[in-house]
Amino acid sequence: QLQLVESGGGLVQPGGSLRLSCTASVFTLDSYFIGWFRQVPGKEREAVSCIDNSGNSREYADFVKGRFTISRDNAKNTVYLQMDSLKAEDTAVYYCTAGVVANRGTCYGTMYWGKGTLVTVSS
């Protein structure tokens, strides 16, 4: 079974940047559709961004467009979420997901989920 591991979360000031990483052991991610979701306790989970298995198609939620960038490095078996111009409302646990097929009409593959990494944006 594919096991995803997120890293790169932490505390950052508003306006700052973080880069989240998602990697997998044993299996390679190059054939998977990868997504990033986030959730604040007590609130609905939100889709943030996704990238298809070729790396040519990406999607972003409106609330992160122009600030977040998703990319993949198959040689390193890693997908990244570069987060710039962070706001307090970006504070959440961020989850990496993967699937060999994508949800209809999107590039989000959601068969497998990581355990999440906490991002806190605060001064």
Side-chain angles (χ1 to χ4, degrees), residues 75-97:
K76 294 184 178 180
N77 202 35
T78 302
V79 174
Y80 302 102
L81 185 68
Q82 177 67 41
M83 305 188 298
D84 299 318
S85 302
L86 282 162
K87 306 174 182 179
E89 51 264 44
D90 294 318
T91 296
V93 178
Y94 284 72
Y95 298 91
C96 175
T97 70

Side-chain angles (χ1 to χ4, degrees), residues 16-60:
S17 298
L18 282 176
R19 188 177 75 164
L20 304 184
S21 299
C22 173
T23 190
S25 58
V26 182
F27 295 98
T28 59
L29 293 177
D30 56 0
S31 60
Y32 287 84
F33 294 81
I34 305 295
W36 286 96
F37 289 77
R38 70 186 189 185
Q39 188 166 25
V40 176
K43 292 191 176 182
E44 296 260 331
R45 186 173 57 207
E46 299 179 306
V48 176
S49 182
C50 63
I51 188 167
D52 74 353
N53 52 0
S54 71
N56 293 327
S57 178
R58 300 169 174 84
E59 294 178 22
Y60 298 95

